[in-house]
Amino acid sequence: MHKEKKRILIFIDWFLPGYKAGGPVRSMANMIEQFSEEYHFLVVTRNTDYMETKPYELTADQWVEGPFDSEVYYFSKEGLSFKNMKRLIAETNFDVAYVNGIYSWRFSILPLFFLKRNKIIVGVRGMLARSAINVKSTKKKVFLNLAKVFGLYKSVVFHATNEQEKRDTRAVFGEVPVAVAPNLPRKVLPAPKEISKEKGTLRLVSMARIAPEKNTLFALEALKKYTGGGEIVYDLYGQIYNETYWRDCKAVIDTLPANIHVEYHGLVESDKVAEVIGDYHFLFLPSRGENFGHVILESFTACRPVLISDQTPWRELEKENCGYDLPLEESLFADKIGKMAELDEDEWRKRCNAAGEKAQVFCNDERNLEAYVRLLGE
């Protein structure tokens, strides 16, 4: 007789087929894909993508078949109410609730009022890091103080993806239960693309929101500081949600020398990210902070080295010959770009092979899967 699968009820603002919200969507999709045979996942989300008003072409306000044998309840704008969320939770049979994030009223806070009878996990998603709290800090600090006063998180287990995130969580809430389980990769890795690399050329790509936290402007300023020769391409993919910031970026782009070419190419669907990265020599993402950095792992799975900041969990990459993680100083990045441009095909391919090995080691680490079994329960 087969043991009945444990049922995991997930709350998340945006989910597949959406992809514009980036990391959290990918984190949940990968977890569901990896564990679809062990658990039955039920996802509660919106019926629109991030920053979109047009609904998906699917049935809203009822359970429908989702990816990887899951079920998904896509709330319409009209259906997403206090009353309907309470009703949905009361009528749904589940064993564990997983709440994504901290600050979303509809999908991070509201469910906690009704999830009293089951184990509750709250995925921190980098939102308790000091750098994250400092964005719109007054509102966030008021909310966090009220959450402590009223015991909103009294009965939850927090999910951190690394030890720093665990420390960040306890810096805010004290000695609360925190389980550490790193984000998971896709179950099936893409086949790497074969492209060439000539000495004196460099194709860089960014796969991230055009936003201050992703440091797009910093990346462009670093390119501006590069005074060497050769042909440098830097292609940007991602959501623009701050037009003022994008105007600042374009102002720098307009001042770049003739041998540095920067273009914006819009959005890439999440299942095509690694494929597109494979058209370039390096991922270039000097972000201000990542609690994980799915796109960095996507780059490694595409066998592409990375040029990133030292504000992510991916550190000491130069020792492993799969990239560089640098302090946020423009001149350091400019200097490294020059060295990367001078790599010949053989030198660059060694770094590609090392990046692929880095992905394989991470993706095949059974300890990561075991951490989720401890988190979700047998």
Side-chain angles (χ1 to χ4, degrees):
M1 184 175 176
H2 292 293
K3 182 181 175 183
E4 190 172 333
K5 290 182 181 180
K6 183 171 280 192
R7 294 165 67 86
I8 315 297
L9 181 63
I10 295 171
F11 297 86
I12 185 168
D13 274 279
W14 302 280
F15 188 61
L16 301 178
Y19 56 92
K20 296 179 181 179
V25 177
R26 197 68 258 157
S27 296
M28 283 296 95
N30 290 358
M31 182 182 80
I32 293 168
E33 182 187 17
Q34 290 279 2
F35 285 103
S36 62
E37 294 180 9
E38 289 80 12
Y39 303 98
H40 184 65
F41 293 97
L42 304 107
V43 182
V44 181
T45 187
R46 302 174 192 271
N47 72 334
T48 56
D49 204 350
Y50 175 63
M51 293 192 71
E52 291 290 339
T53 56
K54 183 181 178 182
Y56 305 129
E57 292 182 2
L58 43 74
T59 305
D61 300 321
Q62 67 180 59
W63 290 106
V64 297
E65 184 179 338
F68 316 120
D69 295 322
S70 66
E71 294 178 67
V72 185
Y73 193 100
Y74 292 100
F75 267 115
S76 66
K77 183 179 179 181
E78 300 75 25
L80 185 51
S81 66
F82 187 96
K83 178 183 175 181
N84 286 339
M85 183 68 79
K86 181 179 181 179
R87 175 192 54 77
L88 179 65
I89 292 171
E91 293 176 355
T92 303
N93 175 32
F94 62 98
D95 301 289
V96 177
Y98 189 110
V99 176
N100 274 275
I102 303 293
Y103 305 115
S104 167
W105 164 243
R106 300 291 189 185
F107 291 91
S108 303
I109 301 169
L110 187 58
L112 293 175
F113 290 108
F114 311 122
L115 293 168
K116 300 300 182 187
R117 69 185 190 277
N118 303 74
K119 177 180 178 180
I120 305 167
I121 301 165
V122 174
V124 177
R125 301 287 169 228
M127 295 179 186
L128 297 178
R130 188 177 300 173
S131 58
I133 292 174
N134 286 340
V135 178
K136 300 180 181 177
S137 61
T138 302
K139 284 184 179 179
K140 290 179 180 178
K141 288 174 182 176
V142 168
F143 165 72
L144 293 172
N145 285 329
L146 288 173
K148 286 185 279 188
V149 169
F150 290 102
L152 186 64
Y153 297 105
K154 186 173 63 176
S155 304
V156 313
V157 174
F158 288 98
H159 172 205
T161 55
N162 54 60
E163 290 296 329
Q164 180 58 53
E165 194 164 55
K166 180 178 180 177
R167 290 191 290 271
D168 291 340
T169 303
R170 288 186 166 165
V172 174
F173 291 115
E175 289 299 309
V176 291
V178 184
V180 178
N183 285 326
L184 297 171
R186 300 172 191 270
K187 201 166 186 177
V188 179
L189 300 184
K193 278 187 179 178
E194 291 295 326
I195 66 169
S196 61
K197 164 83 171 73
E198 294 179 10
K199 191 171 182 178
T201 65
L202 184 63
R203 289 177 53 79
L204 302 169
V205 63
S206 172
M207 285 276 180
R209 295 189 306 279
I210 311 298
E213 60 269 24
K214 300 303 181 182
N215 239 359
T216 318
L217 186 59
F218 174 97
L220 296 168
E221 293 283 6
L223 281 171
K224 189 175 178 179
K225 272 193 164 57
Y226 173 68
T227 57
E231 289 293 316
I232 312 290
V233 168
Y234 185 35
D235 283 345
L236 303 171
Y237 295 84
Q239 182 87 15
I240 296 172
Y241 73 102
N242 183 330
E243 287 294 339
T244 302
Y245 186 77
W246 177 231
R247 279 198 299 271
D248 292 342
C249 290
K250 288 195 289 187
V252 177
I253 292 170
D254 290 341
T255 66
L256 293 173
N259 65 317
I260 299 178
H261 312 279
V262 178
E263 286 190 31
Y264 173 65
H265 293 276
L267 300 171
V268 175
E269 293 182 24
S270 61
D271 59 353
K272 295 187 172 75
V273 167
E275 180 185 341
V276 174
I277 291 174
D279 291 326
Y280 298 86
H281 300 132
F282 280 81
L283 176 76
F284 181 21
L285 184 67
S287 65
R288 293 182 183 177
E290 302 285 341
N291 75 308
F292 181 73
H294 272 286
V295 74
I296 298 168
L297 179 58
E298 294 269 19
S299 188
F300 292 145
T301 63
C303 294
R304 293 297 180 265
V306 301
L307 175 61
I308 60 176
S309 74
D310 61 0
Q311 304 297 303
T312 87
W314 304 96
R315 300 297 304 279
E316 299 187 339
L317 300 179
E318 192 164 7
K319 287 183 181 178
E320 299 180 65
N321 206 30
C322 61
Y324 310 95
D325 49 287
L326 306 178
L328 286 170
E329 296 177 29
E330 292 165 6
S331 57
L332 294 178
F333 279 85
D335 180 66
K336 195 62 70 177
I337 287 167
K339 289 180 169 60
M340 287 155 50
E342 287 305 303
L343 293 173
D344 62 22
E345 175 109 22
D346 289 341
E347 293 169 323
W348 172 70
R349 200 159 294 285
K350 287 175 185 174
R351 287 162 174 78
C352 291
N353 293 337
E357 289 169 12
K358 177 84 170 173
Q360 289 292 340
V361 168
F362 182 87
C363 294
N364 294 322
D365 190 339
E366 290 294 327
R367 293 172 300 178
N368 297 338
L369 296 175
E370 290 164 4
Y372 276 84
V373 174
R374 290 194 298 271
L375 177 69
L376 300 173
E378 297 283 357

